[in-house]
Amino acid sequence: MEIPYTFDRTATAAEIVERFGSLADGEESDQVVSVAGRLMLNRPQGKLAFATLRDSSGEVQLFALARVTAEFEAFTKCSLGDWVGATGIVVRTKRGELSVKITSWVLLAEARRGFGDKWHGVSDIETRYRQREVDLWANEESRVRLRRRSEVVRSLRTRLWDMGFEEVETPILNPIPGGAAARPFVTHHNALDADFYLRIAPELYLKRLVVGGFERVFELGRLFRNEGISPRHNPEFTTVEAYAAYMDYLGMMELLEDLVAGVVTDVTGSTTLTYQGEVIEMAAPWRRASMASLVSTAIGTEVSVHTDRAVLAGLLTEAGGPVADASWGSGKILAELFEQTVEHTLIQPTFVTDHPAETSPLARRHRDDPELTERFETIVVGRELINGFSELTDPDDQRARFEAQAAAHAAGDDEAMRLDEEFLRALEHGLPPTAGMGLGVDRLAMLVCDAANIREVIAFPTLKPLSS
């Protein structure tokens, strides 16, 4: 059978259920429809055959009769997984199955590689992630999760536009890896004979656009970090970053409460989620607490960024954390204490505020304590969902912090930032008071999909290549 170049489908499976759901058992409509999809079942029974057709909206039964259906014998020989287009009237069989009574049909694609018993569900993790096309047909939950992820992305975009943000695009190939502390992927540009880095964050470019007069901007796209793989980490992942002039971190926290609660409602119909058995309330207001106060409560001892470094180092060791590196100051050790003792305990949405300046090289110093910054992280179910702050606008302070980061990189810290002269030059043109944020789209999708592993909400997660 010759494969056609097109097929004129007039109805989906879901539309047939909606339009013809009232048909009584044994009743035939006078409506002719054309449907298309993949055969999930084909049961010839003498002079008739029943097949299940699945498309992106659902399933509908195909009902073929030798005296009615053109090329009936060929239809009965179709394999599971074949794509077909079928035309006929909509009927409900005597057994109550809403069906398309086929008068004509066409093969749209042959499944040359059999799915075997995978139609009944795929549980092998390697197969599910490496052969996602098989997983999507075999496991309805996988299709639902990826559709929900798409709805999350659409809602984020729509709501940010409605809030007055303009969507922009910034370079993925960066001459200097900047905007976050992470190990980059490096590649070489032959024509320019120069190394470039896959971006680890778009932050510096987006703030340059604010300098240029874009008062509210956002970018939704892929980032790349040459780091490990875990249930919450993939080397390439999706974020949305947004920057608003004339706003500080307090205003950004309020904006995010509205944005995220709105997205969750758009996708699920409620601000209340159930994630891995925990009921999570995403409606505003979210809890706010400083990093120092949370750590103090957790360890039973009052600590802050001003606590003696040796004392903090000892507390970190007692808590089972890493031995404090000689280059770490009190701020870095306090942040490590937070990760060791507090982060995993924060289940409901919590703004962890007032991070040490030492660990926040792009954030503005706190108006009440220059050793802190006006930075927050939003923690939900024990993991970071959002990072944001009042942006550092002073080019002299920014240069000093870049230089400290560059020294750390020279000393062997692969994740430390580099000195970016182009960004410093932009700051010298003047950046107004600005607040910014970065939100993990994959992690938000995990929440609304109740997915324990980030790979469940990424269509094609990073896997070790098969040996050739």
Side-chain angles (χ1 to χ4, degrees):
M1 181 177 289
E2 184 177 354
I3 303 297
Y5 284 84
T6 64
F7 183 79
D8 186 15
R9 183 174 67 175
T10 63
T12 65
E15 289 169 347
I16 289 173
V17 172
E18 181 180 358
R19 289 164 53 189
F20 301 98
S22 61
L23 284 179
D25 292 356
E27 184 180 0
E28 296 189 357
S29 75
D30 59 358
Q31 298 293 307
V32 176
V33 298
S34 293
V35 293
R38 196 187 282 275
L39 287 184
M40 305 298 289
L41 184 70
N42 195 358
R43 293 176 294 135
Q45 297 179 9
K47 296 297 183 179
L48 55 85
F50 298 94
T52 300
L53 182 95
R54 179 182 292 169
D55 62 19
S56 62
S57 72
E59 294 182 349
V60 66
Q61 179 170 273
L62 302 183
F63 177 30
L65 289 166
R67 59 183 175 80
V68 173
T69 305
E71 299 186 73
F72 173 80
E73 290 298 328
F75 180 80
T76 64
K77 292 180 173 61
C78 284
S79 300
L80 298 186
D82 284 351
W83 291 80
V84 301
T87 299
I89 61 172
V90 179
V91 304
R92 189 179 292 278
T93 67
K94 293 179 180 180
R95 293 189 175 184
E97 288 289 337
L98 197 60
S99 309
V100 176
K101 186 177 178 181
I102 305 172
T103 54
S104 63
W105 67 281
V106 63
L107 181 68
L108 299 176
E110 180 185 358
R112 296 189 179 184
R113 185 181 292 270
F115 284 80
D117 62 0
K118 295 182 179 66
W119 288 132
H120 305 295
V122 177
S123 58
D124 179 70
I125 294 298
E126 177 72 10
T127 301
R128 290 191 56 237
Y129 297 147
R130 195 175 294 279
Q131 299 182 47
R132 183 66 93 178
E133 62 279 4
V134 175
D135 175 45
L136 290 173
W137 284 109
N139 295 317
E140 182 179 4
E141 189 175 6
S142 295
R143 298 194 302 278
V144 170
R145 283 174 173 166
L146 291 186
R147 287 200 179 99
R148 279 203 161 187
R149 178 199 169 94
S150 180
E151 292 168 4
V152 166
V153 171
R154 177 175 60 184
S155 177
L156 279 168
R157 276 200 164 99
T158 300
R159 287 184 171 272
L160 283 167
W161 275 104
D162 289 345
M163 290 177 172
F165 289 84
E166 296 176 90
E167 185 169 8
V168 297
E169 293 179 324
T170 62
I172 288 178
L173 289 176
N174 293 179
I176 297 174
R183 183 180 294 110
F185 288 94
V186 62
T187 188
H188 189 77
H189 193 294
N190 292 332
L192 297 177
D193 191 22
D195 284 343
F196 281 79
Y197 303 87
L198 297 183
R199 69 177 178 193
I200 56 176
E203 177 169 343
L204 303 187
Y205 285 105
L206 291 173
K207 285 193 281 193
R208 288 171 64 179
L209 290 175
V210 178
V211 170
F214 281 78
E215 295 178 357
R216 287 197 167 196
V217 294
F218 79 95
E219 182 169 12
L220 201 160
R222 281 289 221 232
L223 306 184
F224 308 85
R225 298 184 183 177
N226 197 354
E227 298 170 348
I229 296 175
S230 78
R232 65 181 67 179
H233 296 95
N234 195 64
E236 57 175 309
F237 58 98
T238 303
T239 68
V240 58
E241 289 205 12
Y243 294 83
Y246 320 123
M247 183 184 287
D248 65 5
Y249 79 142
L250 300 173
M252 183 56 73
M253 284 189 273
E254 292 179 359
L255 183 152
L256 282 165
E257 287 174 331
D258 291 341
L259 174 65
V260 176
V263 171
V264 170
T265 301
D266 289 343
V267 176
T268 70
S270 172
T271 59
T272 304
L273 299 171
T274 299
Y275 183 80
Q276 303 297 291
E278 294 276 2
V279 176
I280 310 298
E281 181 51 65
M282 302 300 292
W286 297 348
R287 179 190 180 192
R288 301 184 187 191
S290 70
M291 177 182 287
S293 68
L294 289 167
V295 173
S296 298
T297 299
I299 66 176
T301 300
E302 193 73 22
V303 293
S304 74
V305 73
H306 301 290
T307 300
D308 183 83
R309 181 191 178 283
V311 172
L312 288 172
L315 291 169
L316 180 59
T317 300
E318 290 176 14
V323 176
D325 186 274
S327 65
W328 295 359
S330 294
K332 171 65 172 176
I333 300 173
L334 180 65
E336 291 287 335
L337 263 174
F338 168 77
E339 291 186 10
Q340 190 68 31
T341 64
V342 179
E343 186 173 47
H344 64 279
T345 70
L346 301 177
I347 304 303
Q348 299 300 321
T350 302
F351 288 118
V352 179
T353 65
D354 305 342
H355 291 230
E358 181 183 355
T359 60
S360 311
L362 297 171
R364 191 167 185 172
R365 293 187 188 273
H366 199 287
R367 64 198 74 185
D368 297 326
D369 186 340
E371 294 303 308
L372 298 176
T373 59
E374 296 195 347
R375 175 185 173 189
F376 63 84
E377 286 184 346
T378 307
I379 309 297
V380 188
V381 296
R383 65 174 68 106
E384 177 191 344
L385 177 64
I386 309 169
N387 183 34
F389 35 83
S390 301
E391 301 297 332
L392 179 54
T393 60
D394 182 343
D396 296 328
D397 191 0
Q398 184 65 84
R399 179 177 292 277
R401 294 204 229 171
F402 272 162
E403 289 174 347
Q405 288 283 303
H409 184 266
D413 185 351
D414 291 339
E415 295 187 355
M417 295 185 194
R418 322 288 173 86
L419 195 150
D420 189 331
E421 289 288 357
E422 291 192 359
F423 178 67
L424 290 171
R425 182 181 62 199
L427 282 187
E428 290 171 354
H429 286 291
L431 175 66
T434 299
M437 69 84 176
L439 181 155
V441 174
D442 308 294
R443 291 187 178 181
L444 182 55
M446 288 173 68
L447 282 174
V448 300
C449 295
D450 191 15
N453 194 308
I454 194 170
R455 293 187 292 181
E456 294 288 352
V457 296
I458 297 176
F460 297 98
T462 304
L463 300 171
K464 186 175 181 178
L466 294 172
S467 57
S468 56

